[in-house]
């Protein structure tokens, strides 16, 4: 049998920490939207010092999870936190 090296094994701890970090980032976004429902993705990115695409992706995930929803009012709108 071939010998396994430690580099051949998947490091699940790192994967778990990565996913936990993403969940924490989404929670930070939710908190900002509770406090500032009129914020846009660029406002959140600036406030949390995240990249814009990272922020947009996290917000998309939150929408797909049913946690946030954008409500339009004429030419503007606001974010509603659902859960």
């Amino acid at each position: 049998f071939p010998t396994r090296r430690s580099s051949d094994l998947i490091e699940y701890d790192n994967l778990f920490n990565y996913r936990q970090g993403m969940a924490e980032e989404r929670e930070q976004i939710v908190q900002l939207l509770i406090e500032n429902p009129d914020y846009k993705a660029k406002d959140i990115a600036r406030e949390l010092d995240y990249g814009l695409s990272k922020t947009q992706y996290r917000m998309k995930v939150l929408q797909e999870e049913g946690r946030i929803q954008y409500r339009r009012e004429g030419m503007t709108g606001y974010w509603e936190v659902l859960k």
Side-chain angles (χ1 to χ4, degrees), residues 5-82:
R5 298 174 298 213
S6 62
S7 61
D8 293 339
L9 302 176
I10 298 171
E11 295 189 29
Y12 289 105
D13 288 341
N14 288 341
L15 181 61
F16 177 76
N17 291 338
Y18 176 73
R19 288 187 176 159
Q20 181 66 31
M22 288 189 308
E24 290 170 4
E25 291 168 354
R26 290 194 306 270
E27 289 307 313
Q28 289 177 323
I29 291 171
V30 168
Q31 284 304 313
L32 268 181
L33 291 176
I34 289 170
E35 297 166 9
N36 307 285
D38 59 329
Y39 264 18
K40 308 284 185 270
K42 68 178 184 174
D43 300 317
I44 294 169
R46 183 182 64 245
E47 187 86 20
L48 297 176
D49 197 29
Y50 294 167
L52 181 58
S53 62
K54 173 181 181 173
T55 304
Q56 290 169 328
Y57 177 76
R58 299 288 188 264
M59 291 176 76
K60 178 182 173 206
V61 170
L62 287 166
Q63 284 180 293
E64 290 171 355
E65 291 176 346
R67 305 237 1 245
I68 63 173
Q69 183 175 6
Y70 191 72
R71 301 279 185 187
R72 294 196 188 280
E73 289 185 348
M75 298 295 287
T76 62
Y78 64 94
W79 288 99
E80 182 179 5
V81 177
L82 304 172

